[in-house]
Structures are given as structure tokens and as C-alpha cells.
């Protein structure tokens, strides 16, 4: 089962876009198990296939600290029919990413997230048309006000694409609100990279916004262009795939909050 699991699930890296590419082009295997269960161990909650405990592609125990997440991963495996489709298993892929890719390098992952505080999408505003300016303010200003008032992170806004240097104090204050554990940190990284905003990811983690509100806020500009010029089928297909990974990461953040 070890080899079969590796081939089916793939080496799901932390980058959700690469994860999607890997799983979409990976091999398809027939379902090779009958039963799926969750068991509690000293290391956390584990998923078993026919009584055998799953391991990650890095040959580590796939142990989850929260039962609800383990149950959701178990449900993904149970939902597979004749052919196993890794694209329908975002939480299983995320678990591999966290255990193999984050556990031993939380500092590196935190540093990568923190880079977004210097160039967050929410800082850069349109100067026209007025309706777009208003829509950005509607969805983004509450997050910036929350960051300032609750986190003590006072950021500077700019119009257009010219880079604006953010205060080190603001970046440090926002970073202090990041989690330290690998699971939430990995999920936060995925939300950040998918939305282009570490502040939106923090707002989700601290429940200032729910997942739908964060997703909407992250796509204000894109939705405006769609309303103006129409939707592209390929773009919308990729967006739907990203939403699957986003929802999985959001589920982990909320379950751990």
C-alpha cells in the first residue's frame, strides 16, 4: 500500500498551484481498499485504509491534531469510487504538504508569508473608475482597519502599481499575529498565496472574515474585469480548482482557531 499511496496522492508540495498541477497529471489508480477509518493515537488522529495507517510521501505518519480534519480526510478517501482522483482530495494533499513540507521548516514558511506584508494586494488601489475604487474600499478597508485597531499594524496605501515601502513596525505587528504551529502556518501560507494577501489570510485565521468573504475580497479586481469584459472559460476553470484548495486550507484554519 505504501507505493500505491505515493503514486496516488503525489508529493503534494506546499505551493497549491504546483500541487494542482502534480495531481492533475499524476497517475490514476483503481481503489485498492475497502474500509476507511479514523483512529486516535499518541501522535494524533490517523486515517487507516483496511486497518493500515497512512503515511505521507515522505514516509512520515499522517497524524492530524484535530479529529474533524482527520475525519474530513477519511471522507475524501471513502468517497473515491473505482478510480482514485487526487484532485478530489485537497485535505489529504494539504496534510502531506504540512507534515513533509512545513513541520521541519516553520521559520522559512513564516518568512515567506511575511513577505506579503510588504506588498499585500490590499495596499494597492485603483484610481478609476469610481465604482471599482468604491468596491475595493468596501471589501478591503475593513480588513485594514481591523489590522490597525486590533493588531496594531498601520499600513500605507498607494494608487496604481508603484511600490510603497511599508513601516517595519506594521510588518512586525502583523507577523506577531501569525500562528506558530505547522498546521495553521501551512494553511495560512496556502490562503496567502491563493489570495495574494497575507492580511486576508490573517482575517480568516482570526475570524474577522469568513471564507466566502475572504474569497470575494481576493477577487474584487478579477470580478470587476469579468463583469466588464466577460469570463474566460479557462480562467474560471483554474479559479474553481484554486477554490477547492482554498476551502481545504480555510477548513484547517477554522478547525484550529
Amino acid at each position: 500500500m505504501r507505493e500505491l499511496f505515493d503514486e496516488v496522492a503525489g508529493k503534494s508540495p506546499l505551493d497549491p498551484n504546483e500541487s494542482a498541477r502534480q495531481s492533475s497529471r499524476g497517475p490514476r489508480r483503481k481503489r485498492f481498499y475497502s474500509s476507511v477509518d479514523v483512529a486516535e493515537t499518541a501522535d494524533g488522529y490517523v486515517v487507516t485504509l483496511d486497518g493500515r495507517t497512512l503515511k505521507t510521501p515522505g514516509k512520515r505518519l499522517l497524524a492530524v491534531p484535530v479529529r474533524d480534519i482527520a475525519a474530513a480526510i477519511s471522507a475524501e478517501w471513502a468517497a473515491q469510487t473505482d478510480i482514485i482522483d487526487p484532485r478530489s482530495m485537497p485535505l489529504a494533499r494539504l496534510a502531506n504538504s504540512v507534515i513533509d513540507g512545513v513541520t521541519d521548516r516553520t521559520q522559512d514558511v513564516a518568512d515567506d508569508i511575511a513577505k506579503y506584508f510588504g506588498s499585500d494586494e490590499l495596499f494597492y488601489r485603483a484610481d478609476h473608475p469610481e465604482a471599482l475604487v468604491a468596491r475595493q474600499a468596501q471589501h478591503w478597508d475593513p480588513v485594514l482597519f481591523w489590522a490597525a485597531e486590533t493588531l496594531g499594524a498601520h499600513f500605507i496605501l498607494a494608487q496604481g502599481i508603484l511600490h510603497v515601502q511599508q513601516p517595519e513596525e506594521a510588518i512586525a505587528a502583523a507577523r506577531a499575529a501569525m500562528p506558530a504551529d505547522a498546521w495553521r502556518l501551512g494553511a495560512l501560507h496556502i490562503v496567502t498565496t491563493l489570495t495574494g494577501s497575507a492580511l486576508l489570510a490573517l482575517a480568516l485565521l482570526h475570524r474577522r472574515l469568513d471564507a466566502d468573504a475572504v474569497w470575494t475580497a481576493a477577487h474584487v479586481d478579477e470580478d470587476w474585469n469579468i463583469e466588464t469584459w466577460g469570463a474566460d472559460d479557462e480562467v474560471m476553470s483554474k479559479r474553481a480548482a484554486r477554490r477547492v484548495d482554498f476551502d481545504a486550507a480555510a477548513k484547517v484554519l477554522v478547525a484550529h482557531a
Side-chain angles (χ1 to χ4, degrees):
M1 188 179 74
R2 168 76 259 127
E3 292 80 8
L4 283 174
F5 177 75
D6 284 350
E7 291 181 2
V8 169
K11 292 190 181 239
S12 178
L14 189 61
D15 178 358
N17 297 312
E18 177 61 22
S19 175
R21 288 193 292 272
Q22 290 281 358
S23 58
S24 64
R25 65 171 177 252
R28 297 291 184 265
R29 290 287 183 178
K30 290 184 178 181
R31 176 166 170 159
F32 54 88
Y33 53 92
S34 298
S35 64
V36 186
D37 295 294
V38 173
E40 185 175 4
T41 71
D43 297 303
Y45 300 95
V46 300
V47 178
T48 63
L49 305 182
D50 293 338
R52 302 182 66 179
T53 303
L54 287 178
K55 291 187 177 180
T56 69
K59 298 184 179 180
R60 301 185 181 195
L61 180 68
L62 201 159
V64 183
V66 178
R67 176 181 284 277
D68 287 350
I69 300 301
I73 294 172
S74 173
E76 289 180 349
W77 281 97
Q80 303 304 306
T81 53
D82 294 337
I83 302 298
I84 299 173
D85 182 4
R87 293 173 300 180
S88 66
M89 305 170 73
L91 279 167
R93 290 188 282 111
L94 188 154
N96 290 338
S97 298
V98 168
I99 295 170
D100 286 346
V102 182
T103 303
D104 293 334
R105 56 187 191 99
T106 54
Q107 186 65 43
D108 292 338
V109 175
D111 288 344
D112 199 48
I113 296 171
K115 291 177 183 177
Y116 282 79
F117 295 133
S119 58
D120 203 277
E121 176 186 10
L122 274 57
F123 303 153
Y124 296 91
R125 304 301 180 90
D127 55 8
H128 70 281
E130 290 185 6
L132 175 58
V133 173
R135 188 178 299 187
Q136 289 177 341
Q138 174 190 352
H139 291 283
W140 297 353
D141 284 359
V143 177
L144 290 165
F145 292 149
W146 166 78
E149 296 170 1
T150 304
L151 306 182
H154 299 267
F155 291 102
I156 301 171
L157 304 188
Q159 288 186 329
I161 60 174
L162 291 179
H163 177 71
V164 58
Q165 187 71 31
Q166 296 298 331
E168 292 183 5
E169 296 82 2
I171 294 174
R175 180 163 184 155
M178 289 167 50
D181 63 281
W183 279 88
R184 288 187 300 168
L185 199 61
L188 193 76
H189 187 281
I190 290 174
V191 172
T192 297
T193 56
L194 287 174
T195 62
S197 172
L199 286 178
L200 285 176
L202 280 184
L204 177 60
L205 169 68
H206 292 279
R207 302 200 181 194
R208 174 59 182 82
L209 297 178
D210 63 20
D212 287 338
V214 167
W215 188 256
T216 297
H219 292 84
V220 166
D221 291 352
E222 183 176 287
D223 286 340
W224 177 268
N225 289 331
I226 289 172
E227 292 170 15
T228 304
W229 307 107
D232 178 272
D233 290 342
E234 182 178 357
V235 170
M236 297 308 293
S237 177
K238 290 180 179 179
R239 175 165 163 170
R242 293 197 306 272
R243 180 66 197 255
V244 171
D245 284 331
F246 171 86
D247 284 340
K251 186 177 183 69
V252 170
L253 286 181
V254 172
H256 282 70

